Amino acid sequence: MFLSKYISEVFGGVKSLLTGMRRTGYYFTHHKNIITQQYPNQKPVLAERFRGEVVMTHDENNEHACTGCTACELACPNGTIKIVTKFDITPEGKKKKAIDTFVYHLELCTMCNLCVDACPTGAITMSNSFEHSVFDRSELTKVLNKPGSKIREGVE
Amino acid sequence: MEFSLASIADSIDQWLNAHCASWLALTIEFVIVGVLCIGLFAVLGLVLIMMERKVSAYMQLRLGPNRVGPKGMFQTVADTLKLLVKEGLTPAGADKFLFNLAPFVVMIASMLVLAPIAFAKDFVIWDVNIGVLYVSAVSSIGVIGILMAGWASNNKYSLLGAMRSGAQIVSYELSAGLSILTIVIFSQDMSISSIINSQQDGWWIFKGHIPVIISFVIFIIAVTAETNRAPFDLAEAESELTAGFHTEYSGMKFALFFLAEYVNIFIVCAIGATLYLGGWMPLHIGNWEAFNHIMDYIPSSVWFLGKTFFLIFVIMWFRWTFPRLRIDQLLNLEWKYLLPISMFNLLLATLVAIQGWYF
């Protein structure tokens, strides 16, 4: 009884080891399974949800959806976003709050996505770009609204 | 004259003896052999580390080093250059003499085992008549260097690694020795050259069937443990002991440990190839004259290196497949499984040899 258990243990162990070796042997001989992406030569395939940096989406008329509500600025845990607002005069002669500059400090950003979640109008999103290295730190402070852009009609 | 390593060695010997006194010729030959050994070690280090990195990469669905030189072939050369110019630190609390001596002890132990290995037909440094005994005796000196390194480092991780290594090598030496004995029973001689000559009509792994195959498997497991390689790399155990006995070593002293590990793999695989796969002996099958004659056209050194590198590949295959054992599992495997099985196998081999049930 003891002996048969002992022998079956030995054979079971050898069998499980051989199963493992068959798998690695298969990978060794089948190079098409290799998952390495050779980055500088080959652009990596990134997931849709990958968080590279915060961008403000502009449409073809150079219009964005940012109302200047500063919800993102308040949501940001480490002061990455600074919004400077101004007052536009509408054709009816009323004053309307709008953004002057949307300052984004990439060097402070932890890509936590809280600003994107906080935005009520979906004006900002996370983009997939990740090659952020620059020669001077000041280049990391970005203005997200494009020059001459204005708020899209109908966004309140 | 036919081209072979043995004939080159002979002609150098004749030329030296013709041109200078015999004592001087002997001294020059010693120097040549020493330089060749060190050269072999350096080349083996570069080739085996490259091979290991490529094998591991392909087994883990990676590409491995591929930037330095064609297909990354000069990566290990670059690494060696880096290690050469690095500072060799000695910790303040270390026993300086032992700390600096240890890597050389490990290196010299693996150099000594090189002596009785036949690299090609009639091409061997020292054809001693107790070759197998010499190999198993001298190969255990290496553990002294490891214990020395662990003790002298004055570091708890190093000491733990060294102690584990000691327990491991002392245990596994037993089953390695017993599995070597199986071949000694069949070939009825302990000298490496006569063991190889006894395989003229077929390698022992084919001629000796069941007992030799069992002892071959045990030998491979035991030498994997003796060279401190995964899955038996408890002495280093990166995730538990940082780097075990060589935690405190850096620069060239670390490189010597690293090199000794790979040279040891080469040596144990060379011994395995010699005992079980016929060393430099080409693949001969019984009395098939035509087949044997074709096989003889491949040089004996190619046969030897081919078999050795095949076994090295198998050991690398183990390393990149199996998870590391715990220390109690390691000792259980040796004392409860390998040792009883190899003792029983020794009885079986004796029975087969006495009854003449082998080819």
Side-chain angles (χ1 to χ4, degrees):
Chain A
M1 188 57 215
F2 165 75
L3 205 61
S4 67
K5 187 167 170 280
Y6 182 87
I7 291 170
S8 71
E9 256 176 36
V10 170
F11 278 96
V14 170
K15 187 169 166 281
S16 75
L17 293 180
L18 287 180
T19 312
M21 284 178 73
R22 223 178 88 190
R23 183 85 300 220
T24 44
Y26 175 82
Y27 286 146
F28 183 75
T29 46
H30 293 69
H31 293 180
K32 65 172 193 300
N33 290 312
I34 286 174
I35 52 172
T36 305
Q37 295 172 4
Q38 301 202 62
Y39 160 56
N41 309 345
Q42 194 186 340
K43 281 289 159 200
V45 183
L46 294 172
E48 189 74 9
R49 63 180 183 183
F50 178 82
R51 299 176 198 161
E53 63 172 332
V54 177
V55 291
M56 186 178 284
T57 46
H58 289 72
D59 62 11
E60 66 275 8
N61 302 325
N62 202 17
E63 288 176 336
H64 56 76
C66 182
T67 58
C69 67
T70 69
C72 50
E73 187 176 343
L74 293 170
C76 184
N78 43 358
T80 302
I81 296 169
K82 286 279 173 292
I83 294 173
V84 182
T85 52
K86 61 179 180 185
F87 285 97
D88 277 348
I89 310 294
T90 54
E92 295 94 67
K94 279 194 275 182
K95 275 196 206 169
K96 194 185 171 200
K97 195 178 170 191
I99 57 166
D100 180 36
T101 43
F102 188 109
V103 181
Y104 170 55
H105 291 274
L106 180 56
E107 75 270 29
L108 298 176
C109 185
T110 59
M111 317 297 167
C112 66
N113 209 34
L114 289 177
C115 54
V116 176
D117 288 342
C119 185
T121 55
I124 48 176
T125 49
M126 281 284 180
S127 85
N128 270 1
S129 66
F130 62 95
E131 290 159 317
H132 296 314
S133 60
V134 288
F135 283 101
D136 194 279
R137 193 176 57 178
S138 63
E139 289 171 57
L140 291 171
T141 305
K142 297 180 176 181
V143 176
L144 293 192
N145 54 329
K146 287 182 186 165
S149 63
K150 60 181 198 301
I151 187 163
R152 192 176 302 138
E153 209 58 39
V155 177
E156 291 299 330
Chain B
M1 192 171 64
E2 198 191 344
F3 175 82
S4 72
L5 289 173
S7 66
I8 295 170
D10 278 344
S11 54
I12 289 173
D13 179 51
Q14 278 163 15
W15 187 86
L16 279 174
N17 274 312
H19 286 80
C20 45
S22 64
W23 65 270
L24 189 61
L26 197 63
T27 315
I28 293 173
E29 280 166 14
F30 278 164
V31 172
I32 292 174
V33 168
V35 169
L36 281 180
C37 281
I38 293 167
L40 177 76
F41 274 29
V43 172
L44 274 180
L46 296 180
V47 170
L48 289 181
I49 292 170
M50 191 66 219
M51 179 175 162
E52 172 113 282
R53 292 186 66 177
K54 276 291 183 190
V55 167
S56 70
Y58 286 133
M59 282 183 179
Q60 298 175 338
L61 301 180
R62 295 183 288 114
L63 286 168
N66 61 349
R67 297 285 148 150
V68 188
K71 300 248 169 201
M73 283 303 150
F74 297 137
Q75 182 65 52
T76 45
V77 180
D79 289 347
T80 311
L81 283 176
K82 187 208 78 172
L83 282 172
L84 275 173
V85 296
K86 263 180 95 170
E87 184 188 4
L89 262 170
T90 306
D95 184 332
K96 293 209 167 42
F97 176 68
L98 288 184
F99 185 83
N100 291 315
L101 184 67
F104 295 99
V105 172
V106 173
M107 206 59 209
I108 287 167
S110 45
M111 254 182 164
L112 284 175
V113 190
L114 214 59
I117 293 173
F119 290 92
K121 195 174 193 304
D122 302 324
F123 191 71
V124 51
I125 296 172
W126 183 36
D127 189 14
V128 59
N129 62 350
I130 49 159
V132 172
L133 185 63
Y134 173 87
V135 163
S136 48
V138 171
S139 63
S140 29
I141 291 178
V143 72
I144 296 175
I146 290 176
L147 283 172
M148 213 184 254
W151 174 255
S153 294
N154 194 16
N155 172 329
K156 55 183 176 294
Y157 294 129
S158 303
L159 188 59
L160 269 175
M163 285 302 165
R164 283 181 181 188
S165 177
Q168 180 178 330
I169 292 180
V170 168
S171 316
Y172 278 82
E173 195 86 338
L174 277 169
S175 29
L178 284 175
S179 52
I180 289 174
L181 268 186
T182 312
I183 297 300
V184 175
I185 288 169
F186 279 109
S187 63
Q188 295 167 13
D189 207 314
M190 284 182 124
S191 112
I192 298 271
S193 63
S194 51
I195 287 177
I196 295 173
N197 282 327
S198 70
Q199 306 184 56
Q200 197 140 27
D201 52 347
W203 304 342
W204 276 122
I205 197 157
F206 301 131
K207 284 203 298 179
H209 55 89
I210 297 166
V212 174
I213 289 170
I214 293 173
S215 86
F216 178 68
V217 172
I218 290 171
F219 178 81
I220 288 288
I221 295 171
V223 297
T224 312
E226 265 192 70
T227 48
N228 283 327
R229 279 180 66 83
F232 305 103
D233 62 341
L234 296 121
E236 290 167 38
E238 278 176 13
S239 49
E240 303 157 27
L241 302 176
T242 57
F245 62 91
H246 57 61
T247 304
E248 298 289 353
Y249 284 87
S250 59
M252 216 45 218
K253 278 179 269 178
F254 166 73
L256 279 180
F257 276 120
F258 204 49
L259 188 62
E261 185 192 329
Y262 282 94
V263 171
N264 276 332
I265 297 162
F266 176 82
I267 286 168
V268 296
C269 288
I271 292 163
T274 306
L275 296 179
Y276 297 95
L277 305 176
W280 50 260
M281 192 62 79
L283 177 59
H284 285 170
I285 300 179
N287 296 323
W288 298 11
E289 291 302 334
F291 179 80
N292 292 352
H293 199 65
I294 293 168
M295 285 298 168
D296 285 340
Y297 275 107
I298 301 172
S300 55
S301 51
V302 174
W303 276 106
F304 172 76
L305 285 179
K307 290 167 192 173
T308 307
F309 272 84
F310 168 73
L311 288 184
I312 290 171
F313 172 74
V314 170
I315 282 184
M316 285 180 179
W317 196 353
F318 289 165
R319 172 164 181 177
W320 298 104
T321 306
F322 304 146
R324 183 188 306 133
L325 274 73
R326 237 174 22 230
I327 185 78
D328 61 320
Q329 293 170 332
L330 176 95
L331 295 175
N332 263 351
L333 176 68
E334 163 62 22
W335 295 101
K336 290 189 179 166
Y337 292 93
L338 292 188
L339 191 64
I341 292 173
S342 53
M343 279 175 157
F344 171 76
N345 187 48
L346 199 62
L347 276 178
L348 182 68
T350 318
L351 183 71
V352 168
I354 289 172
Q355 295 290 327
W357 287 338
Y358 61 97
F359 305 108

